[in-house]
Amino acid sequence: MSESMPPASSGDHRTVLLRGGEVHSPADPFATAMVVERGHVAWVGSEGAADAFASGVDEVVDLEGALVTPAFVDAHVHTTATGFALTGLDLSSAASLAEAAELIRAHAAARPEDRILIGHGWDASRWPERRPLTRDELDELTGGRPLYLTRIDVHSAVVTTALLDLVPGIRDLDGFHDGQRPLTGDAHHAVRAAAFAAVSPLQRTEAQRAARIRAASLGIGTLHECGGPQISSEDDFTGLLDLAREEAGPRVVGYWADLDVERARALGALGAAGDLFADGSLGSHTACLHEPYADHAGHSGSAHLDAATIALHVVACTEAGLQAGFHAIGDAAVTAVVEGVRAAAEKLGLARIRAARHRVEHVEMLTPETIAAFAELGLTASVQPAFDALWGGEEGMYADRLGAERARTLNPYAALLRAGVPLAFGSDSPVTPLDPWGTVRAAAFHRTPEHRISARAAFTAHTRGGWRAVGRDDAGTLVPGAPADYAVWRTEELVVQAPDDRVARWSTDPRSGTPGLPDLSPGVELPVCLRTVVYGQTVFVRPNE
């Protein structure tokens, strides 16, 4: 399935026996076989017991020693933008301003018919020049055509003059910078809306299809789409949900980031949540901080929602039976979310707020107090471990923006788990690529050792955690009765891996009966996906396997 997916109706009711491998299941830590019937796991057990099922199934799959795990859930994705990064202009590999310029020039030359050029992934903090391309440079590289080019965090962009000309009044909007600096805030949102409005429906569908195909090829069975009026468009959002219903592939759970709760419901969203911005990002200096940035004197970012507005939204969502959720990265923004949700709990009762499973995206700058509040209020932390792998460490972007001492406090996954805060892992693709095993590795080998968690805990956050984040406790594990969402992997010997001696030492002993996982140590080759199945239906098969 390198080019397409099977039709959505194929194989839904076939009974399949998988045998001769390793099945990652809490029902039997030594399982080697599994039966799938009517889209659900029907049985998990040993090779000897599998003989009793062999004659009564529609298909027997010889795993040939492969590993079967629950399919991954990516709990934060921008699907269309991911597809454009896959099929269009991707600058994430550019090591310098000059390399980025050449990629832009080549892309413009290769796409003469496109009404607008869209690209993503530049990060001037990693370039020797330490600056983005200017508008004049972009105008020259594109021959004066419209170009929208997002920074890697998607919270700022550089554009050409031709794109600005499509947005009347752009120069009067907050966040407009003429010349060297990227657009942020309202100005960025306005040019983004104009850019995506210029994309044809065919281009958009092709991008969405490409993103789902890539996800399936990586063993991802579910995507949480984080759309919203400041991020995409209603047509984009509903078109993606329709595509996921009509074509085989990863299921899509939609979140619409809007204070208008009824609008979110009308669009088919599970919640008025996701990237409902309480602040911006650290890379673009727009995350809202209690203390100023280390590299931007006197500047503490931007607050987009106050605690009172957050409280009203949480109350409205809870009463409507929808999830509320917010994008919050800086410590001041996280504090505002906690204060708002607590105020909602005082109005409706703590039990109703906890039962609603509201969620917060990113939550990078936490304190012991806000971590305790997350646990008390039943908030899910939807986080992206690849952020730490990309920007953490003594020499990384976090240290540039915050100073080394504050940077070391970011993304404290171990503290969240110890407090009992539910974790759901995602990529925020295209900010970081779809890469589930890489995400598990990033959490297990966090750049700050005290924030590391076991590979097992990280794997759970990227499988069952994503299901729990949408209110489902019956999925994300391979046990009888669970939805048959699974992936088959080629990998080396399985291990039970903890980041160091302080973390669950007992569980590394094979006698504990803990199911093993691939060795995710840095430098070790990650597992290769051979097959992905969603609700009993095969949505990806690796070519030539």
Side-chain angles (χ1 to χ4, degrees):
M1 195 214 72
S2 57
E3 299 295 334
S4 63
M5 297 178 183
S9 61
S10 64
D12 287 350
H13 301 305
R14 291 172 59 80
T15 301
V16 179
L17 167 64
L18 300 94
R19 64 185 307 178
E22 302 277 353
V23 179
H24 185 92
S25 172
D28 182 346
F30 306 106
T32 62
M34 180 172 75
V35 172
V36 173
E37 184 175 25
R38 291 189 169 270
H40 290 79
V41 177
W43 172 84
V44 175
S46 66
E47 192 63 29
D51 290 335
F53 295 95
S55 62
V57 300
D58 298 308
E59 181 182 4
V60 177
V61 176
D62 184 355
L63 295 169
E64 299 179 347
L67 170 68
V68 182
T69 72
F72 285 102
V73 177
D74 194 309
H76 193 118
V77 175
H78 305 286
T79 308
T80 305
T82 296
F84 282 132
L86 291 169
T87 61
L89 176 55
D90 181 3
L91 299 184
S92 60
S93 64
S96 68
L97 186 147
E99 282 189 23
E102 186 52 40
L103 287 169
I104 294 167
R105 189 188 303 277
H107 181 76
R111 311 281 298 209
E113 303 302 321
D114 286 2
R115 290 184 289 178
I116 185 165
L117 302 170
I118 292 180
H120 169 73
W122 60 269
D123 185 358
S125 70
R126 295 189 290 158
W127 294 348
E129 299 86 355
R130 307 289 287 187
R131 71 166 180 86
L133 287 148
T134 67
R135 191 165 306 133
D136 288 344
E137 289 169 334
L138 293 172
D139 287 345
E140 187 277 325
L141 290 168
T142 61
R145 297 164 65 191
L147 167 70
Y148 172 69
L149 197 59
T150 44
R151 189 186 181 278
I152 192 168
D153 60 7
V154 200
H155 283 268
S156 58
V158 291
V159 302
T160 55
T161 303
L163 180 54
L164 291 181
D165 291 343
L166 298 177
V167 189
I170 182 66
R171 289 169 174 80
D172 298 324
L173 294 179
D174 179 61
F176 178 81
H177 306 288
D178 206 354
Q180 300 282 344
R181 292 173 60 192
L183 304 182
T184 60
D186 292 342
H188 175 218
H189 298 155
V191 297
R192 175 163 54 195
F196 281 99
V199 171
S200 72
L202 178 60
Q203 281 180 289
R204 186 176 64 218
T205 299
E206 287 175 344
Q208 292 171 347
R209 189 173 286 128
R212 293 180 72 233
I213 289 172
R214 174 61 64 88
S217 75
L218 295 169
I220 298 171
T222 301
L223 301 169
H224 295 185
E225 165 66 13
C226 292
Q230 293 184 324
I231 301 161
S232 51
S233 70
E234 293 184 3
D235 287 344
D236 181 278
F237 186 75
T238 57
L240 174 63
L241 296 182
D242 289 343
L243 183 73
R245 282 189 290 266
E246 294 164 2
E247 295 186 4
R251 63 169 56 77
V252 175
V253 177
Y255 287 96
W256 184 252
D258 199 332
L259 291 173
D260 185 343
V261 174
E262 290 308 313
R263 189 61 193 153
R265 187 203 297 279
L267 293 174
L270 186 69
D275 273 334
L276 184 53
F277 295 122
D279 68 345
S281 75
L282 291 167
S284 292
H285 291 101
T286 52
C288 191
L289 314 181
H290 285 305
E291 300 294 333
Y293 285 87
D295 62 347
H296 200 319
H299 180 67
S300 299
S302 306
H304 301 314
L305 299 172
D306 60 20
T309 303
I310 290 166
L312 289 172
H313 185 64
V314 173
V315 168
C317 286
T318 305
E319 291 182 329
L322 295 178
Q323 282 181 291
F326 307 91
H327 162 121
I329 287 178
D331 49 4
V334 175
T335 296
V337 169
V338 164
E339 291 175 351
V341 178
R342 182 170 283 130
E346 291 171 357
K347 178 177 177 62
L348 298 181
L350 180 60
R352 286 187 69 185
I353 295 299
R354 289 179 59 88
R357 300 195 189 186
H358 303 307
R359 51 189 283 174
V360 190
E361 311 301 314
H362 315 310
V363 288
E364 295 195 79
M365 295 184 70
L366 288 151
T367 64
E369 293 74 22
T370 51
I371 290 172
F374 265 60
E376 174 196 357
L377 298 166
L379 295 173
T380 294
S382 170
V383 296
Q384 295 75 40
F387 287 6
D388 174 74
L390 186 59
W391 296 315
E394 297 296 316
E395 305 298 325
M397 183 270 287
Y398 291 151
D400 287 347
R401 294 291 186 268
L402 303 172
E405 183 177 352
R406 270 197 294 176
R408 280 192 291 271
T409 68
L410 265 61
N411 302 303
Y413 303 137
L416 286 163
L417 280 183
R418 283 195 299 270
V421 176
L423 292 182
F425 281 0
S427 62
D428 199 10
S429 180
V431 176
T432 62
L434 300 170
D435 181 15
W437 285 116
T439 295
V440 174
R441 172 186 278 171
F445 294 92
H446 197 294
R447 288 178 178 270
T448 305
E450 57 263 38
H451 299 330
R452 294 173 179 171
I453 61 177
S454 70
R456 178 173 55 149
F459 179 79
T460 298
H462 216 347
T463 50
R464 193 173 188 183
W467 283 96
R468 286 173 166 171
V470 298
R472 292 279 300 271
D473 292 326
D474 62 339
T477 58
L478 300 180
V479 297
D485 282 29
Y486 63 90
V488 181
W489 307 92
R490 183 172 65 235
T491 188
E492 300 300 324
E493 182 180 1
L494 304 183
V495 298
V496 180
Q497 195 167 32
D500 58 49
D501 286 345
R502 296 170 300 148
V503 180
R505 177 185 289 184
W506 66 269
S507 70
T508 63
D509 189 326
R511 292 171 297 179
S512 70
T514 302
L517 288 168
D519 184 354
L520 301 177
S521 301
V524 174
E525 185 177 352
L526 292 173
V528 175
C529 185
L530 304 179
R531 180 184 296 261
T532 304
V533 175
V534 175
Y535 199 56
Q537 178 184 0
T538 298
V539 299
F540 169 79
V541 176
R542 188 172 184 82
N544 303 317
E545 292 288 345

